[in-house]
């Protein structure tokens, strides 16, 4: 059955972006460093239509598996605005992306199969639409932090994957705050370690 | 050569204790849950002179290895005050423990080889004394958060072990804040996964 998952990179001190983020400073000060392990992998670069990159390692395999499993994405407005300014023309989704925003806007079609839908419907309704779009594939809650928190607190997430980089941000956007811990529990599914990042796979139970 | 290490349990959202901690509420609201995996292991219980507990698993082995490696401890005043009220008479250290405090107090000798020394010397001097006491064994920076942060920011830590429990506190004492990330870097040494906790072993480099 189709699953709803979060897949996110985090610093060891709990940040998914640095301070002062925006269209001219994607992921904020030092925020790109959280994903250094990813930027060097072929599976990531090829989705941006870029050449090169490493293969035959666990990090590359994990990225490939993640890209292959989702059939729709949901993201918050801030993530979209920052991404719109920085993704290449062929945005790295290749499926429908639902953007949670009060802004009225026509769907945005990008080459390579990515269409952004802008919606101010409630998160349950948006998730149902994303599931319908995804078919047998999974739905990824892409971010940012507020969107992840909303879906967690609503008990709507099935799996949570965190890639912890051994770096410190000391400021920025925290992944885990404003949580209602009575609403859900995490259980360790598996852990994959590699030299520059630790991949933690949790299953999430609605309490 | 003798090493300086931190060994600490943390919730997935970055807390090492809950809110409202004190002598009557050790580790704060829900804080003991961070260590649930540990409380059921024989290696831990036997150091408190308690019977029972699980054996033959990775968690138990890790606890045993940690107890065997340190020859001295350093801790902050708050940790000591809370511990003094809650440790059994035979406190689980069995070596010298340096307590960073401005309070003048005679050394406190507990049965089983634990002696607490109270000192207001600077952290470098205290570390040197702890190293001298430990001999060929390692020195553990036991906590709390401020003491760990002080030693990290001074570039005095060699290894950092974090046991991440898949739980959320949402409030309490954060491990990683007030850090000067220019002073040190973490490198993944090894990761040991088990069903209820993930053990992350980092080496720390003074920048």
């Amino acid at each position: 059955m189709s699953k709803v998952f979060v897949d996110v990179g985090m610093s060891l001190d709990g940040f998914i972006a640095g301070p002062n983020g925006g269209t001219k400073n994607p992921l904020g000060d030092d925020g790109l460093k959280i994903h250094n392990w990813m930027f060097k992998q072929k599976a990531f670069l090829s989705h941006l239509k870029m050449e090169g990159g490493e293969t035959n390692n666990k990090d590359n395999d994990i990225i490939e598996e993640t890209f292959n499993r989702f059939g729709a994405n949901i993201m918050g407005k801030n993530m979209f605005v920052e991404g719109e300014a920085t993704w290449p023309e062929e945005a790295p989704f290749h499926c429908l992306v639902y953007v949670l925003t009060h802004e009225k806007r026509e769907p945005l079609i990008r080459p390579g199969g990515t269409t952004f839908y802008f919606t101010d419907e409630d998160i349950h309704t948006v998730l149902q639409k994303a599931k319908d779009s995804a078919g047998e594939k999974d739905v990824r809650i892409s971010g940012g932090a507020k969107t992840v928190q909303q879906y967690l607190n609503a008990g709507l997430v099935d799996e949570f994957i965190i890639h912890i980089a051994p770096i410190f941000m000391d400021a920025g956007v925290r992944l885990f705050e404003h949580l209602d811990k009575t609403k859900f529990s995490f259980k360790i599914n598996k852990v994959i370690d590699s030299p520059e990042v630790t991949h933690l796979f949790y299953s999430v139970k609605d309490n």
Side-chain angles (χ1 to χ4, degrees), chain A:
Chain A
M1 208 180 74
S2 174
K3 286 189 172 165
V4 179
F5 76 104
V6 173
D7 181 283
V8 65
M10 186 176 87
S11 69
L12 190 49
D13 54 350
F15 295 94
I16 59 171
N20 309 311
T23 53
K24 289 180 181 167
N25 189 23
L27 293 179
D29 301 344
D30 283 339
L32 292 170
K33 289 184 183 173
I34 298 169
H35 306 290
N36 268 351
W37 66 275
M38 185 174 76
F39 294 142
K40 62 176 80 169
Q41 303 305 328
K42 186 176 183 64
F44 178 77
L45 295 172
S46 68
H47 279 271
L48 295 178
K49 297 284 167 199
M50 293 167 74
E51 296 293 320
E54 299 174 13
T55 55
N56 290 322
N57 67 70
K58 290 184 269 189
D59 300 339
N60 193 63
D61 292 347
I62 287 169
I63 295 167
E64 193 62 47
E65 282 161 22
T66 303
F67 272 116
N68 287 338
R69 69 182 282 197
F70 65 76
N73 281 261
I74 296 172
M75 69 178 60
K77 184 191 175 180
N78 290 344
M79 182 176 180
F80 170 77
V81 169
E82 210 171 88
E84 187 181 24
T86 49
W87 292 314
E89 184 61 13
E90 185 164 332
F93 301 98
H94 314 291
C95 62
L96 294 192
V97 179
Y98 293 86
V99 181
L100 305 172
T101 175
H102 295 298
E103 188 192 353
K104 303 277 180 212
R105 183 167 167 182
E106 289 301 302
L108 172 66
I109 299 169
R110 285 279 192 102
T114 301
T115 299
F116 296 95
Y117 276 89
F118 304 92
T119 174
D120 65 352
E121 290 174 297
D122 69 279
I123 63 168
H124 291 79
T125 304
V126 175
L127 179 58
Q128 191 52 55
K129 289 186 176 178
K131 281 183 172 178
D132 293 344
S133 307
E136 291 187 0
K137 288 198 160 190
D138 296 332
V139 174
R140 182 172 69 171
I141 311 295
S142 306
K146 275 186 196 163
T147 301
V148 170
Q149 290 154 14
Q150 276 182 299
Y151 275 98
L152 263 183
N153 283 337
L156 294 173
V157 177
D158 300 311
E159 290 182 17
F160 207 107
I161 306 167
I162 311 175
H163 313 280
I164 299 188
I167 62 166
F168 296 92
M169 303 297 298
D170 210 30
V173 180
R174 281 194 192 279
L175 176 58
F176 292 124
E177 58 183 1
H178 315 303
L179 293 177
D180 182 351
K181 62 183 177 177
T182 65
K183 294 289 176 57
F184 57 86
S185 348
F186 275 40
K187 190 174 172 303
I188 301 169
N189 247 351
K190 66 177 173 180
V191 175
I192 297 178
D193 63 314
S194 74
E196 293 181 40
V197 64
T198 309
H199 310 279
L200 306 173
F201 295 73
Y202 298 99
S203 56
V204 187
K205 202 168 55 77
D206 182 12
N207 283 353

